[in-house]
Amino acid sequence: MFRTALRNVSAHKARLSMTVLAVLLGVAFVTGTLVFTNTISRALEHSSAKGFDHVDVAVTPHYRDAEGDRVGRPAELTDAVLRDSGRVPGAASALGVVSGFTALADKDGDRLGDGFRSEGGNFEGAKDPRYPLVAGHAPRGADEVLIDRKTAERAGYRVGDTVRLSVDGPTLTPRVAGVFRTDDGNVAAGGSLALFDTATAQKLFGKPGTYDEIDVKAKPGVSEAALQAQLDRALPKDTVETTTARTLIDDQAETVAASMSGLKQLLLVFAGVALFVGTFIIANTFTMLVAQRTRELALMRAVGASRRQVTRSVLFEAFVVGVVAAAGGLAAGVGIGAGLRALMGTMDATVPDGPLVVTPGTVAAALAVGVLITMLAAWLPGRRAARIPPVAAMGSAHAPATARSLVLRNTLGALLAGGGVAVVLAATTMNGSAGQAPMALGAGLLIIGVFVLTPLLSRPLIAAAAPVLRVFGVAGGLARRNAVRNPRRTAATASALMIGLTLITGMTVVAGSLQKSIAEMASASLKADYVVSMANGNRLSPDVADKLRATEGVTASSPLRDATTRIDGRTEFVTGVTGSALGDLTDLRVEQGAFRVGGTQVVVDADTAKDRGWKAGSGFDVSFEDGAKRRFTVAGVYEGNELVHGLLLDNAALTPHLSDRSDMQVMVKTDGGASKAAKDRLAKALGDSPAVKIQDKDDISGEIAKMFTLMLNMVYGLLAMAVVVAVLGVVNTLAMSVFERSQEIGMLRAVGLDRRAVKRMVRLESLVISLFGAVLGIGLGVFFGWAAGQLVSTRMGTYQLVLPWARIGLFLLMAGAVGVLAALWPARRAARLDLLQAIKAE
């Protein structure tokens, strides 16, 4: 039986090639994901580990827990702690570290690198072991700065040039004193690093006389553990914490792994979609091969083969196909991983150098996925092959599906689809987070139910295309009949395309609706002409709000200043605003009381009020970080949104209790409204700082649109693999169908159907099957998009469904193009069949 199975694989190489290719692509996607993420993780881990070459134990501030109604604050690492650390018997040296966000501008004034990866720090003394100088000298005073070599090369800066930079708002223009080399992972990933002398860094980052960390190097022969024990004895435990370099490296490795896990899971989900689509092709292929070999299988049964042996022979064929596909997919996946890494090198998101990582787990995953998916998909066709009656098969009468089996299938499909719809509709009535799991369950049931019902749905939906197909004459009529001749085969072929389009359409509907809803939220809730914030999301210097308030043409402004407080024994984040200007800058709907902020009167959003049990007129005590207490009264309850929410109180009441006065953003209103001249005035007031973003409502909407467009393009790119696999399924089905209908095609040719009409018939059949799958996929996608939107609307009052008709039309056109392209080779093959040999074919 095994020799027979091997001969069958060898005899049907061409017919199995598309199945092998489909599995190969899915395995390559999985392997490429694992190789790419493992390679990036290993490179980042190695790069970050190099950063700890000059430290054996790190001393960091101890964060005191909040006690009672007092908000905890970290202790400070002073010069005294630095001196004590360096005097420990096992310490060779102790280095104070200061760091913070620093945005550098290129020579055109544009911000360099990614705002989240633009950092600054201190260069200690004439030589700092962490940062070897390659040119120039150490910075001397506030007018000099060092920049990393990669940034200098990228921007064209040299020693002696003047560079524009910003830490938290105001612009500085120091001279480049030198260029240094670094293994910092942020720099390797496309960011920048600027270094100042220690005193300047402490002043710029708001830490005068203190450090973020103290790095202690051990003397020769002293272990990390021994040095840590000595530091623990010498330093006060309620002030500092100590951590060995080994622990820091391990923690950094865990952080890198955690940051890469999200990307890995996302890519593997889409790889799973491609493999899931591939199962339809595998099952379809083996079903057709079994149907074409009914006489052979009957003969095997007649000479003594049991049903189990027949099933095993089919599964062994699938095993061989899976092994070949997995091996090819593994090789292709390694190439994909290398290609993705090279692609990142051409973008602004480069990664540290390092070898390509192919782990034993990656190899095992590739082989397991390829073989298991193929064998599981072939199991049902194998069982069907074993159940073919020998007598019926020897008579070339493949037993059709009985009425009982069709009724059972349709009943099961209707129950699954109906149950899925019911669960999804029930989930739409739940809260956003509570409804996610039921909706996912309902979506899965509905997709399975539609797949089971697809043979039943194929006849009426394909029949709806009859008026259009009549235009193509006899070829159109034959194409329609061929498409519904074997509903199960048509269903399996169309379902592969349906899955991909369901996901693509659903994502497009949700993304488009969210984009418009957030843009409308910005325009509806903001009266301010501009919102000023840091490019990386960090806090603004209080100087920014002061300079904007004094700018010509500014009629109202308010910084948004957040703080941590304690209310009724619970931590509560509050936002300080300029109460007198808030009414001119926002337009929030008031549900209770009045929108009035000032003195001891505050406003709170509806969600917070419900959680705390507050209403207009409620009073409560607030404990600030300095230990002071003050009683406030709720003047009004408003409808919050993603832009403005939480408890709002006047800055005059909040600021005196803050040790660090900084702002999240500043809202600004100008006398002439938003204009280029007004924006230029604001930018000039801030020294054209590269660290600051000045956005009007259109800019906010544009940024949102850009984010969603990027997300959608990424999704389209990832789902393209599933669509390619679906196309292979159409090609495979048509090619095998042409082989199966060779005699029929020969007879059609004999009675007058020319080669062109044969090609047209196959192409139209492919077009109809593809459009059938597209209609089902788009319909399901719109339904799921609507349902997901209902969950979102529970948290976003401005959410409204937006149907992207233009893109839906484009998806249909693309599905039609897929059908036409997939039919090119099968149609050509059908037209080139030898007429006499085709008529004699069995």
mmCIF file of all heavy atoms in Angstrom, residues 98-104 119-125 128 130 138-147 163 165-167 172 174-175 180 193-205:
data_model
loop_
_atom_site.group_PDB
_atom_site.id
_atom_site.type_symbol
_atom_site.label_atom_id
_atom_site.label_comp_id
_atom_site.label_asym_id
_atom_site.label_seq_id
_atom_site.Cartn_x
_atom_site.Cartn_y
_atom_site.Cartn_z
ATOM 1 N N VAL A 98 22.693 60.257 33.865
ATOM 2 C CA VAL A 98 21.538 61.132 33.699
ATOM 3 C C VAL A 98 21.033 60.955 32.277
ATOM 4 O O VAL A 98 21.825 60.905 31.323
ATOM 5 C CB VAL A 98 21.910 62.615 33.933
ATOM 6 C CG1 VAL A 98 20.666 63.486 33.873
ATOM 7 C CG2 VAL A 98 22.622 62.789 35.252
ATOM 8 N N SER A 99 19.720 60.857 32.076
ATOM 9 C CA SER A 99 19.191 60.662 30.727
ATOM 10 C C SER A 99 17.821 61.306 30.598
ATOM 11 O O SER A 99 17.141 61.576 31.596
ATOM 12 C CB SER A 99 19.089 59.168 30.395
ATOM 13 O OG SER A 99 18.211 58.522 31.298
ATOM 14 N N GLY A 100 17.425 61.534 29.352
ATOM 15 C CA GLY A 100 16.122 62.121 29.074
ATOM 16 C C GLY A 100 15.934 62.304 27.573
ATOM 17 O O GLY A 100 16.862 62.105 26.774
ATOM 18 N N PHE A 101 14.744 62.676 27.179
ATOM 19 C CA PHE A 101 14.432 62.869 25.760
ATOM 20 C C PHE A 101 15.166 64.094 25.217
ATOM 21 O O PHE A 101 15.186 65.154 25.832
ATOM 22 C CB PHE A 101 12.929 63.040 25.589
ATOM 23 C CG PHE A 101 12.525 63.450 24.190
ATOM 24 C CD1 PHE A 101 12.649 62.572 23.136
ATOM 25 C CD2 PHE A 101 12.027 64.723 23.948
ATOM 26 C CE1 PHE A 101 12.272 62.941 21.851
ATOM 27 C CE2 PHE A 101 11.654 65.104 22.672
ATOM 28 C CZ PHE A 101 11.770 64.221 21.618
ATOM 29 N N THR A 102 15.780 63.938 24.039
ATOM 30 C CA THR A 102 16.449 65.053 23.362
ATOM 31 C C THR A 102 16.218 64.917 21.861
ATOM 32 O O THR A 102 16.650 63.919 21.262
ATOM 33 C CB THR A 102 17.968 65.050 23.649
ATOM 34 O OG1 THR A 102 18.182 65.121 25.050
ATOM 35 C CG2 THR A 102 18.640 66.232 22.971
ATOM 36 N N ALA A 103 15.536 65.879 21.277
ATOM 37 C CA ALA A 103 15.252 65.852 19.843
ATOM 38 C C ALA A 103 16.300 66.672 19.104
ATOM 39 O O ALA A 103 16.556 67.825 19.433
ATOM 40 C CB ALA A 103 13.863 66.412 19.568
ATOM 41 N N LEU A 104 16.909 66.047 18.087
ATOM 42 C CA LEU A 104 17.878 66.733 17.237
ATOM 43 C C LEU A 104 17.241 67.062 15.895
ATOM 44 O O LEU A 104 16.443 66.279 15.371
ATOM 45 C CB LEU A 104 19.102 65.847 17.006
ATOM 46 C CG LEU A 104 20.029 65.570 18.193
ATOM 47 C CD1 LEU A 104 21.078 64.538 17.804
ATOM 48 C CD2 LEU A 104 20.704 66.846 18.640
ATOM 49 N N GLU A 119 17.280 60.242 22.324
ATOM 50 C CA GLU A 119 17.623 60.335 23.740
ATOM 51 C C GLU A 119 18.808 61.265 23.967
ATOM 52 O O GLU A 119 19.552 61.592 23.044
ATOM 53 C CB GLU A 119 17.963 58.943 24.297
ATOM 54 C CG GLU A 119 16.800 57.961 24.275
ATOM 55 C CD GLU A 119 15.680 58.351 25.223
ATOM 56 O OE1 GLU A 119 15.983 58.982 26.261
ATOM 57 O OE2 GLU A 119 14.521 58.052 24.928
ATOM 58 N N GLY A 120 18.954 61.697 25.210
ATOM 59 C CA GLY A 120 20.096 62.503 25.623
ATOM 60 C C GLY A 120 20.637 61.953 26.923
ATOM 61 O O GLY A 120 19.964 61.207 27.637
ATOM 62 N N GLY A 121 21.867 62.314 27.252
ATOM 63 C CA GLY A 121 22.472 61.830 28.485
ATOM 64 C C GLY A 121 23.674 62.658 28.864
ATOM 65 O O GLY A 121 23.909 63.737 28.311
ATOM 66 N N ASN A 122 24.452 62.131 29.798
ATOM 67 C CA ASN A 122 25.631 62.862 30.272
ATOM 68 C C ASN A 122 26.902 62.145 29.881
ATOM 69 O O ASN A 122 26.960 60.908 29.823
ATOM 70 C CB ASN A 122 25.574 63.031 31.791
ATOM 71 C CG ASN A 122 25.718 61.722 32.533
ATOM 72 O OD1 ASN A 122 25.042 60.738 32.197
ATOM 73 N ND2 ASN A 122 26.581 61.682 33.543
ATOM 74 N N PHE A 123 27.937 62.921 29.586
ATOM 75 C CA PHE A 123 29.290 62.411 29.311
ATOM 76 C C PHE A 123 30.144 62.816 30.501
ATOM 77 O O PHE A 123 30.354 64.003 30.755
ATOM 78 C CB PHE A 123 29.823 63.009 28.010
ATOM 79 C CG PHE A 123 31.108 62.392 27.540
ATOM 80 C CD1 PHE A 123 31.094 61.274 26.718
ATOM 81 C CD2 PHE A 123 32.330 62.932 27.904
ATOM 82 C CE1 PHE A 123 32.281 60.703 26.277
ATOM 83 C CE2 PHE A 123 33.527 62.375 27.472
ATOM 84 C CZ PHE A 123 33.497 61.247 26.648
ATOM 85 N N GLU A 124 30.649 61.832 31.245
ATOM 86 C CA GLU A 124 31.311 62.100 32.515
ATOM 87 C C GLU A 124 32.809 62.300 32.321
ATOM 88 O O GLU A 124 33.526 61.391 31.872
ATOM 89 C CB GLU A 124 31.063 60.948 33.495
ATOM 90 C CG GLU A 124 31.677 61.150 34.859
ATOM 91 C CD GLU A 124 31.123 62.382 35.576
ATOM 92 O OE1 GLU A 124 29.902 62.634 35.491
ATOM 93 O OE2 GLU A 124 31.923 63.092 36.202
ATOM 94 N N GLY A 125 33.292 63.505 32.659
ATOM 95 C CA GLY A 125 34.719 63.781 32.636
ATOM 96 C C GLY A 125 35.292 63.956 31.249
ATOM 97 O O GLY A 125 34.589 64.152 30.265
ATOM 98 N N ASP A 128 34.740 59.069 28.919
ATOM 99 C CA ASP A 128 33.667 58.251 29.493
ATOM 100 C C ASP A 128 33.786 56.860 28.888
ATOM 101 O O ASP A 128 33.716 56.707 27.658
ATOM 102 C CB ASP A 128 32.297 58.861 29.158
ATOM 103 C CG ASP A 128 31.164 58.229 29.944
ATOM 104 O OD1 ASP A 128 31.188 56.998 30.133
ATOM 105 O OD2 ASP A 128 30.244 58.970 30.366
ATOM 106 N N ARG A 130 31.840 54.512 28.574
ATOM 107 C CA ARG A 130 30.651 54.043 27.856
ATOM 108 C C ARG A 130 30.634 54.497 26.411
ATOM 109 O O ARG A 130 30.074 53.829 25.534
ATOM 110 C CB ARG A 130 29.383 54.563 28.549
ATOM 111 C CG ARG A 130 29.212 54.130 29.986
ATOM 112 C CD ARG A 130 28.067 54.901 30.634
ATOM 113 N NE ARG A 130 28.334 56.345 30.668
ATOM 114 C CZ ARG A 130 27.438 57.258 31.015
ATOM 115 N NH1 ARG A 130 26.215 56.885 31.338
ATOM 116 N NH2 ARG A 130 27.768 58.545 31.034
ATOM 117 N N ALA A 138 35.537 66.134 24.870
ATOM 118 C CA ALA A 138 34.375 66.090 25.760
ATOM 119 C C ALA A 138 33.690 67.453 25.805
ATOM 120 O O ALA A 138 34.336 68.491 25.632
ATOM 121 C CB ALA A 138 34.823 65.685 27.161
ATOM 122 N N PRO A 139 32.371 67.474 26.018
ATOM 123 C CA PRO A 139 31.656 68.760 26.076
ATOM 124 C C PRO A 139 32.075 69.576 27.292
ATOM 125 O O PRO A 139 32.271 69.033 28.382
ATOM 126 C CB PRO A 139 30.185 68.336 26.152
ATOM 127 C CG PRO A 139 30.207 66.972 26.736
ATOM 128 C CD PRO A 139 31.470 66.334 26.238
ATOM 129 N N ARG A 140 32.188 70.898 27.095
ATOM 130 C CA ARG A 140 32.573 71.802 28.179
ATOM 131 C C ARG A 140 31.517 72.895 28.290
ATOM 132 O O ARG A 140 31.544 73.869 27.542
ATOM 133 C CB ARG A 140 33.935 72.425 27.893
ATOM 134 C CG ARG A 140 35.047 71.409 27.661
ATOM 135 C CD ARG A 140 36.241 72.059 26.992
ATOM 136 N NE ARG A 140 37.281 71.077 26.666
ATOM 137 C CZ ARG A 140 38.236 71.296 25.756
ATOM 138 N NH1 ARG A 140 38.289 72.446 25.102
ATOM 139 N NH2 ARG A 140 39.131 70.358 25.516
ATOM 140 N N GLY A 141 30.579 72.707 29.157
ATOM 141 C CA GLY A 141 29.563 73.714 29.371
ATOM 142 C C GLY A 141 28.324 73.507 28.516
ATOM 143 O O GLY A 141 28.228 72.588 27.693
ATOM 144 N N ALA A 142 27.343 74.407 28.710
ATOM 145 C CA ALA A 142 26.035 74.264 28.069
ATOM 146 C C ALA A 142 26.058 74.523 26.582
ATOM 147 O O ALA A 142 25.092 74.200 25.880
ATOM 148 C CB ALA A 142 25.042 75.216 28.735
ATOM 149 N N ASP A 143 27.133 75.101 26.051
ATOM 150 C CA ASP A 143 27.191 75.445 24.631
ATOM 151 C C ASP A 143 27.827 74.358 23.779
ATOM 152 O O ASP A 143 28.059 74.566 22.588
ATOM 153 C CB ASP A 143 27.966 76.759 24.438
ATOM 154 C CG ASP A 143 27.241 77.949 25.041
ATOM 155 O OD1 ASP A 143 25.998 77.904 25.088
ATOM 156 O OD2 ASP A 143 27.915 78.902 25.473
ATOM 157 N N GLU A 144 28.098 73.178 24.362
ATOM 158 C CA GLU A 144 28.719 72.100 23.589
ATOM 159 C C GLU A 144 27.959 70.791 23.807
ATOM 160 O O GLU A 144 27.408 70.550 24.878
ATOM 161 C CB GLU A 144 30.185 71.921 23.996
ATOM 162 C CG GLU A 144 31.069 73.088 23.573
ATOM 163 C CD GLU A 144 32.538 72.815 23.815
ATOM 164 O OE1 GLU A 144 32.852 71.923 24.655
ATOM 165 O OE2 GLU A 144 33.376 73.476 23.200
ATOM 166 N N VAL A 145 27.965 69.966 22.784
ATOM 167 C CA VAL A 145 27.245 68.691 22.829
ATOM 168 C C VAL A 145 27.999 67.662 22.011
ATOM 169 O O VAL A 145 28.735 68.007 21.067
ATOM 170 C CB VAL A 145 25.807 68.856 22.282
ATOM 171 C CG1 VAL A 145 25.823 69.172 20.789
ATOM 172 C CG2 VAL A 145 24.963 67.620 22.558
ATOM 173 N N LEU A 146 27.869 66.399 22.367
ATOM 174 C CA LEU A 146 28.379 65.283 21.573
ATOM 175 C C LEU A 146 27.206 64.591 20.884
ATOM 176 O O LEU A 146 26.116 64.491 21.450
ATOM 177 C CB LEU A 146 29.094 64.257 22.460
ATOM 178 C CG LEU A 146 30.307 64.715 23.281
ATOM 179 C CD1 LEU A 146 30.850 63.534 24.083
ATOM 180 C CD2 LEU A 146 31.378 65.297 22.391
ATOM 181 N N ILE A 147 27.428 64.105 19.668
ATOM 182 C CA ILE A 147 26.384 63.333 18.983
ATOM 183 C C ILE A 147 26.977 62.005 18.520
ATOM 184 O O ILE A 147 28.195 61.892 18.311
ATOM 185 C CB ILE A 147 25.777 64.095 17.781
ATOM 186 C CG1 ILE A 147 26.855 64.462 16.761
ATOM 187 C CG2 ILE A 147 25.037 65.327 18.246
ATOM 188 C CD1 ILE A 147 26.273 65.127 15.515
ATOM 189 N N VAL A 163 24.266 72.705 16.010
ATOM 190 C CA VAL A 163 23.116 71.819 15.866
ATOM 191 C C VAL A 163 21.951 72.362 16.682
ATOM 192 O O VAL A 163 22.145 72.906 17.774
ATOM 193 C CB VAL A 163 23.475 70.374 16.319
ATOM 194 C CG1 VAL A 163 23.877 70.357 17.774
ATOM 195 C CG2 VAL A 163 22.318 69.421 16.086
ATOM 196 N N LEU A 165 18.644 71.611 18.834
ATOM 197 C CA LEU A 165 18.058 70.512 19.599
ATOM 198 C C LEU A 165 17.115 71.064 20.645
ATOM 199 O O LEU A 165 17.125 72.255 20.965
ATOM 200 C CB LEU A 165 19.148 69.645 20.260
ATOM 201 C CG LEU A 165 20.120 70.315 21.239
ATOM 202 C CD1 LEU A 165 19.542 70.335 22.651
ATOM 203 C CD2 LEU A 165 21.438 69.557 21.239
ATOM 204 N N SER A 166 16.292 70.168 21.177
ATOM 205 C CA SER A 166 15.333 70.555 22.206
ATOM 206 C C SER A 166 15.130 69.398 23.156
ATOM 207 O O SER A 166 15.113 68.232 22.746
ATOM 208 C CB SER A 166 13.992 70.953 21.579
ATOM 209 O OG SER A 166 13.052 71.268 22.577
ATOM 210 N N VAL A 167 15.000 69.734 24.434
ATOM 211 C CA VAL A 167 14.783 68.712 25.459
ATOM 212 C C VAL A 167 13.315 68.606 25.828
ATOM 213 O O VAL A 167 12.729 67.527 25.815
ATOM 214 C CB VAL A 167 15.640 69.018 26.704
ATOM 215 C CG1 VAL A 167 15.271 68.094 27.850
ATOM 216 C CG2 VAL A 167 17.116 68.898 26.377
ATOM 217 N N LEU A 172 17.693 74.852 21.754
ATOM 218 C CA LEU A 172 19.081 75.165 22.064
ATOM 219 C C LEU A 172 19.913 75.013 20.793
ATOM 220 O O LEU A 172 19.562 74.215 19.905
ATOM 221 C CB LEU A 172 19.624 74.231 23.151
ATOM 222 C CG LEU A 172 18.820 74.160 24.456
ATOM 223 C CD1 LEU A 172 19.399 73.080 25.362
ATOM 224 C CD2 LEU A 172 18.830 75.504 25.158
ATOM 225 N N PRO A 174 23.683 74.409 20.549
ATOM 226 C CA PRO A 174 25.075 74.200 20.948
ATOM 227 C C PRO A 174 25.961 73.806 19.762
ATOM 228 O O PRO A 174 25.465 73.446 18.684
ATOM 229 C CB PRO A 174 24.969 73.059 21.960
ATOM 230 C CG PRO A 174 23.776 72.282 21.502
ATOM 231 C CD PRO A 174 22.814 73.300 20.975
ATOM 232 N N ARG A 175 27.256 73.839 19.993
ATOM 233 C CA ARG A 175 28.224 73.435 18.977
ATOM 234 C C ARG A 175 28.583 71.962 19.181
ATOM 235 O O ARG A 175 28.661 71.483 20.314
ATOM 236 C CB ARG A 175 29.482 74.302 19.101
ATOM 237 C CG ARG A 175 30.545 74.054 18.036
ATOM 238 C CD ARG A 175 31.728 75.002 18.241
ATOM 239 N NE ARG A 175 32.417 74.702 19.489
ATOM 240 C CZ ARG A 175 33.385 73.786 19.597
ATOM 241 N NH1 ARG A 175 33.753 73.074 18.545
ATOM 242 N NH2 ARG A 175 33.967 73.571 20.764
ATOM 243 N N PHE A 180 30.960 60.372 19.008
ATOM 244 C CA PHE A 180 31.317 59.172 19.759
ATOM 245 C C PHE A 180 30.694 57.932 19.127
ATOM 246 O O PHE A 180 29.764 58.005 18.320
ATOM 247 C CB PHE A 180 30.876 59.293 21.223
ATOM 248 C CG PHE A 180 29.381 59.428 21.395
ATOM 249 C CD1 PHE A 180 28.576 58.311 21.594
ATOM 250 C CD2 PHE A 180 28.776 60.681 21.359
ATOM 251 C CE1 PHE A 180 27.216 58.434 21.757
ATOM 252 C CE2 PHE A 180 27.411 60.811 21.517
ATOM 253 C CZ PHE A 180 26.615 59.697 21.711
ATOM 254 N N LEU A 193 21.407 59.936 19.801
ATOM 255 C CA LEU A 193 21.854 60.094 21.181
ATOM 256 C C LEU A 193 22.742 61.328 21.263
ATOM 257 O O LEU A 193 23.732 61.439 20.520
ATOM 258 C CB LEU A 193 22.624 58.858 21.646
ATOM 259 C CG LEU A 193 23.149 58.879 23.088
ATOM 260 C CD1 LEU A 193 22.009 59.029 24.081
ATOM 261 C CD2 LEU A 193 23.945 57.604 23.384
ATOM 262 N N ALA A 194 22.376 62.271 22.126
ATOM 263 C CA ALA A 194 23.157 63.485 22.352
ATOM 264 C C ALA A 194 23.644 63.490 23.790
ATOM 265 O O ALA A 194 22.899 63.133 24.706
ATOM 266 C CB ALA A 194 22.302 64.722 22.075
ATOM 267 N N LEU A 195 24.904 63.889 23.994
ATOM 268 C CA LEU A 195 25.492 63.876 25.329
ATOM 269 C C LEU A 195 25.977 65.271 25.720
ATOM 270 O O LEU A 195 26.608 65.968 24.917
ATOM 271 C CB LEU A 195 26.675 62.903 25.382
ATOM 272 C CG LEU A 195 26.370 61.429 25.057
ATOM 273 C CD1 LEU A 195 27.658 60.618 25.097
ATOM 274 C CD2 LEU A 195 25.345 60.855 26.021
ATOM 275 N N PHE A 196 25.674 65.643 26.973
ATOM 276 C CA PHE A 196 26.124 66.922 27.542
ATOM 277 C C PHE A 196 27.043 66.623 28.720
ATOM 278 O O PHE A 196 27.103 65.487 29.209
ATOM 279 C CB PHE A 196 24.911 67.731 28.034
ATOM 280 C CG PHE A 196 23.799 67.843 27.027
ATOM 281 C CD1 PHE A 196 22.779 66.896 26.982
ATOM 282 C CD2 PHE A 196 23.769 68.887 26.122
ATOM 283 C CE1 PHE A 196 21.745 66.991 26.063
ATOM 284 C CE2 PHE A 196 22.744 69.006 25.206
ATOM 285 C CZ PHE A 196 21.721 68.053 25.167
ATOM 286 N N ASP A 197 27.758 67.650 29.185
ATOM 287 C CA ASP A 197 28.477 67.423 30.433
ATOM 288 C C ASP A 197 27.455 67.211 31.546
ATOM 289 O O ASP A 197 26.279 67.580 31.416
ATOM 290 C CB ASP A 197 29.411 68.596 30.737
ATOM 291 C CG ASP A 197 28.658 69.869 31.056
ATOM 292 O OD1 ASP A 197 28.200 70.019 32.197
ATOM 293 O OD2 ASP A 197 28.506 70.709 30.135
ATOM 294 N N THR A 198 27.877 66.600 32.641
ATOM 295 C CA THR A 198 26.929 66.152 33.664
ATOM 296 C C THR A 198 26.093 67.292 34.230
ATOM 297 O O THR A 198 24.868 67.163 34.375
ATOM 298 C CB THR A 198 27.677 65.445 34.802
ATOM 299 O OG1 THR A 198 28.338 64.288 34.265
ATOM 300 C CG2 THR A 198 26.722 64.994 35.893
ATOM 301 N N ALA A 199 26.703 68.407 34.537
ATOM 302 C CA ALA A 199 25.948 69.524 35.125
ATOM 303 C C ALA A 199 24.888 70.039 34.165
ATOM 304 O O ALA A 199 23.750 70.327 34.563
ATOM 305 C CB ALA A 199 26.911 70.657 35.513
ATOM 306 N N THR A 200 25.248 70.145 32.886
ATOM 307 C CA THR A 200 24.278 70.620 31.884
ATOM 308 C C THR A 200 23.140 69.622 31.727
ATOM 309 O O THR A 200 21.969 70.000 31.644
ATOM 310 C CB THR A 200 24.975 70.848 30.534
ATOM 311 O OG1 THR A 200 26.008 71.822 30.695
ATOM 312 C CG2 THR A 200 23.981 71.322 29.484
ATOM 313 N N ALA A 201 23.481 68.326 31.688
ATOM 314 C CA ALA A 201 22.440 67.298 31.535
ATOM 315 C C ALA A 201 21.478 67.328 32.716
ATOM 316 O O ALA A 201 20.255 67.228 32.546
ATOM 317 C CB ALA A 201 23.082 65.918 31.418
ATOM 318 N N GLN A 202 22.005 67.467 33.922
ATOM 319 C CA GLN A 202 21.137 67.516 35.108
ATOM 320 C C GLN A 202 20.198 68.710 35.049
ATOM 321 O O GLN A 202 19.021 68.604 35.391
ATOM 322 C CB GLN A 202 21.998 67.576 36.366
ATOM 323 C CG GLN A 202 22.721 66.273 36.680
ATOM 324 C CD GLN A 202 23.672 66.405 37.844
ATOM 325 O OE1 GLN A 202 24.241 67.474 38.084
ATOM 326 N NE2 GLN A 202 23.867 65.313 38.591
ATOM 327 N N LYS A 203 20.688 69.832 34.578
ATOM 328 C CA LYS A 203 19.858 71.035 34.485
ATOM 329 C C LYS A 203 18.802 70.891 33.404
ATOM 330 O O LYS A 203 17.621 71.203 33.619
ATOM 331 C CB LYS A 203 20.743 72.244 34.207
ATOM 332 C CG LYS A 203 19.966 73.549 34.091
ATOM 333 C CD LYS A 203 20.907 74.716 33.805
ATOM 334 C CE LYS A 203 20.099 76.012 33.624
ATOM 335 N NZ LYS A 203 20.989 77.161 33.306
ATOM 336 N N LEU A 204 19.215 70.386 32.223
ATOM 337 C CA LEU A 204 18.275 70.266 31.102
ATOM 338 C C LEU A 204 17.163 69.278 31.405
ATOM 339 O O LEU A 204 16.008 69.485 31.026
ATOM 340 C CB LEU A 204 19.024 69.826 29.839
ATOM 341 C CG LEU A 204 19.944 70.861 29.192
ATOM 342 C CD1 LEU A 204 20.695 70.238 28.020
ATOM 343 C CD2 LEU A 204 19.137 72.073 28.720
ATOM 344 N N PHE A 205 17.483 68.180 32.083
ATOM 345 C CA PHE A 205 16.494 67.134 32.347
ATOM 346 C C PHE A 205 15.790 67.312 33.686
ATOM 347 O O PHE A 205 15.114 66.402 34.165
ATOM 348 C CB PHE A 205 17.147 65.751 32.270
ATOM 349 C CG PHE A 205 17.782 65.462 30.940
ATOM 350 C CD1 PHE A 205 19.045 64.914 30.858
ATOM 351 C CD2 PHE A 205 17.108 65.754 29.762
ATOM 352 C CE1 PHE A 205 19.636 64.654 29.627
ATOM 353 C CE2 PHE A 205 17.690 65.494 28.528
ATOM 354 C CZ PHE A 205 18.956 64.945 28.461
#
